[in-house]
Amino acid sequence: MDDLQHLKEEFEKLFGKPSALTYFCPGRVNLLGEHIDYNGGLVMPCAITLGTYLLVAPNNDGVIRFRSLNFPNKVDVAINSHLNRDTLMWFSSPMGVLHYLAADGNALQQGYDLLYYGNLPVGLSSSASIEMVTAFAFNELLEAGYEKLALVKMTMKVENDYIGVTSGLIDQFSVAFGESEKALVINCNTFTYQAVPLNLGEYCLAIINSNRPGNVAESKYNERVAQCRQALKYLQQQLPITVLCDIDTETLMEYKYLIKDEVLLKRARYVVEENDRVKAAALLLEQDNLKAFGELMYRSHLSLKELYEVSGIELDTIAEYSRFYKGVIGARMTGAGFGGCAIALVKEDSFDSYKADLTSYYTELIGYPPTVYRSAIGPGVGRLVNPVATI
Ligand code: GLA
């Protein structure tokens, strides 16, 4: 299905004409720096080679036709109108993008036929990916002239205000700015970043979808955001800080008496320690010290489990099994937590046995299998090919 030719054939079948342009936006994994983006610190994601494809052709019907190979429901809307937001569907987020583009003076002058296809497992920013691929494509099609950072902010607005899901900026930022074989170190206070070489050498990146059913992440996510705000408020009684990541672990320990609540202190400790870990990790990658970097991944997982409490038996099983598997040098949950995915750095020649052994261990313990992928670290959003459409 990732075969572009096949996607083009599907487009022709659906719309009776060839597509004009093909865009791709990756998903992301967070290597380190989890739950830091809304605490104004440093995060370390990278873009992967799984993501969302968008095939586009203009039409003369004044209609936008949204189609997906992943979802059966489809919709046709007159240009520059939008659906009732109460009925959220897969096409709500791309519609949100068109909504904000129009609100900012970039109304559509003609209709478009759109076909989406995504191959991202849960939790690897599929919604940021679908939003960003739409924003990038229409920025080009309408010659709107936004810089990538403006697209990041616009797609965040879609997520937070249009869809109504609280999130930081890490997802949209990394799928926009990702670079092949580089990790990004993003400063969530200043919206600036640095691309650090991620030389995997004889290792590869394994992505393990826990396949845990249900979704508690959203409510727990909002709870963590609120807890961090509260911890910050306590610290602000004595410290002139605006975000938790303005302080390091040492300062937190000095002022921890300000945070009377034990749970809030655990949350704050996790945040400042993880922020410190990202700083240390960036130096390790510069020095090509992948093993020590992997060690920080394990520590990050443990801290997410014990201090931030956003893991679960499924993600813990993956991280802990990986830790003792020969050929694996680092593993942790990635994303918001509870369910979703974990990542591991696995020796290339151990990947197949790791995949088989982890699958049988996990299945026996959890009752259903995980899905294990291998991914390269790829570039951010872009246009793939450029054949001319005839309409
Ligand atoms: C979700 C959010 C991100 C980030 C991560 C946790 O993916 O969308 O902004 O907060 O959780 O690191």
Side-chain angles (χ1 to χ4, degrees):
M1 187 63 90
D2 301 353
D3 169 1
L4 271 181
Q5 192 46 42
H6 177 72
L7 286 179
K8 287 183 180 174
E9 285 162 17
E10 290 294 321
F11 188 99
E12 279 206 58
K13 262 195 242 160
L14 280 165
F15 296 115
K17 64 179 181 195
S19 56
L21 299 165
T22 303
Y23 295 88
F24 174 74
C25 183
R28 65 90 188 94
V29 296
N30 297 328
L31 297 161
L32 278 176
E34 213 66 80
H35 288 276
I36 291 297
D37 53 351
Y38 54 85
N39 285 301
L42 294 174
V43 295
M44 188 186 268
C46 64
I48 55 177
T49 44
L50 303 168
T52 312
Y53 294 83
L54 167 59
L55 278 65
V56 187
N59 68 47
N60 286 328
D61 309 329
V63 168
I64 312 172
R65 300 190 179 93
F66 290 92
R67 303 288 184 274
S68 165
L69 294 186
N70 301 93
F71 303 99
N73 37 12
K74 52 187 187 174
V75 69
D76 296 352
V77 281
I79 56 172
N80 306 318
S81 62
H82 55 81
L83 282 188
N84 181 353
R85 280 183 252 175
D86 294 343
T87 48
L88 285 180
M89 295 285 192
W90 71 266
F91 40 77
S92 303
S93 32
M95 288 215 334
V97 172
L98 297 180
H99 170 79
Y100 286 115
L101 277 170
D104 203 31
N106 296 291
L108 300 184
Q109 304 301 326
Q110 66 178 135
Y112 289 91
D113 297 328
L114 307 175
L115 175 62
Y116 291 85
Y117 167 68
N119 55 10
L120 279 169
V122 179
L124 301 189
S125 295
S126 50
S127 54
S129 177
I130 197 172
E131 286 152 12
M132 186 54 71
V133 80
T134 310
F136 186 92
F138 279 91
N139 188 35
E140 262 201 10
L141 293 165
L142 303 175
E143 296 179 12
Y146 293 102
E147 302 273 333
K148 266 192 189 170
L149 185 56
L151 300 181
V152 168
K153 291 181 181 168
M154 183 183 291
T155 49
M156 259 189 79
K157 223 165 132 63
V158 172
E159 195 70 15
N160 297 344
D161 301 345
Y162 194 87
I163 304 294
V165 172
T166 315
S167 67
L169 70 87
I170 189 172
D171 303 345
Q172 286 79 4
F173 203 109
S174 35
V175 301
F177 287 98
E179 291 182 29
S180 294
E181 285 159 48
K182 299 259 171 71
L184 304 183
V185 180
I186 307 171
N187 183 324
C188 299
N189 244 347
T190 58
F191 288 90
T192 51
Y193 78 100
Q194 203 198 335
V196 186
L198 179 49
N199 181 7
L200 289 181
E202 54 182 341
Y203 292 88
C204 65
L205 177 69
I207 298 175
I208 307 102
N209 186 350
S210 68
N211 290 329
R212 173 178 156 155
N215 181 14
V216 291
E218 201 178 315
S219 63
K220 292 286 177 193
Y221 188 93
N222 293 340
E223 187 185 286
R224 292 298 175 276
V225 173
Q227 288 171 330
C228 289
R229 278 197 196 131
Q230 189 53 49
L232 174 66
K233 267 196 193 149
Y234 286 135
L235 291 168
Q236 283 171 329
Q237 292 168 348
Q238 293 285 326
L239 292 167
I241 56 173
T242 50
V243 287
L244 272 184
C245 291
D246 279 342
I247 53 171
D248 58 12
T249 310
E250 212 181 309
T251 314
L252 177 66
M253 288 303 113
E254 196 182 328
Y255 287 91
K256 68 176 188 187
Y257 65 90
L258 292 170
I259 305 178
K260 303 272 186 287
D261 181 306
E262 205 184 301
V263 172
L264 294 187
L265 181 58
K266 282 201 321 193
R267 306 296 186 247
R269 248 192 76 196
Y270 164 76
V271 169
V272 295
E273 285 179 8
E274 180 79 350
N275 195 45
D276 286 350
R277 264 191 292 274
V278 175
K279 287 183 201 157
L283 291 177
L284 290 170
L285 286 186
E286 297 280 4
Q287 296 158 2
D288 231 2
N289 191 344
L290 206 60
K291 285 211 168 115
F293 177 82
E295 198 48 49
L296 289 183
M297 290 172 72
Y298 289 131
R299 274 200 246 153
S300 167
H301 183 87
L302 202 62
S303 204
L304 282 157
K305 173 185 174 185
E306 289 175 356
L307 296 179
Y308 216 60
E309 297 178 286
V310 290
S311 187
I313 170 110
E314 301 82 0
L315 293 169
D316 290 344
T317 300
I318 298 166
E320 280 151 26
Y321 181 80
S322 303
R323 173 158 205 139
F324 297 104
Y325 198 88
K326 196 163 172 285
V328 179
I329 53 167
R332 62 186 288 278
M333 54 157 273
T334 192
F338 299 100
C341 293
I343 51 172
L345 296 177
V346 185
K347 232 184 193 159
E348 284 277 1
D349 56 14
S350 305
F351 180 82
D352 290 342
S353 57
Y354 168 73
K355 178 176 172 173
D357 294 345
L358 171 65
T359 300
S360 62
Y361 181 82
Y362 182 96
T363 310
E364 188 156 324
L365 205 79
I366 304 294
Y368 51 83
T371 316
V372 185
Y373 307 77
R374 184 206 312 242
S375 172
I377 296 166
V381 64
R383 174 151 45 78
L384 294 185
V385 283
N386 190 12
V388 179
T390 42
I391 55 167

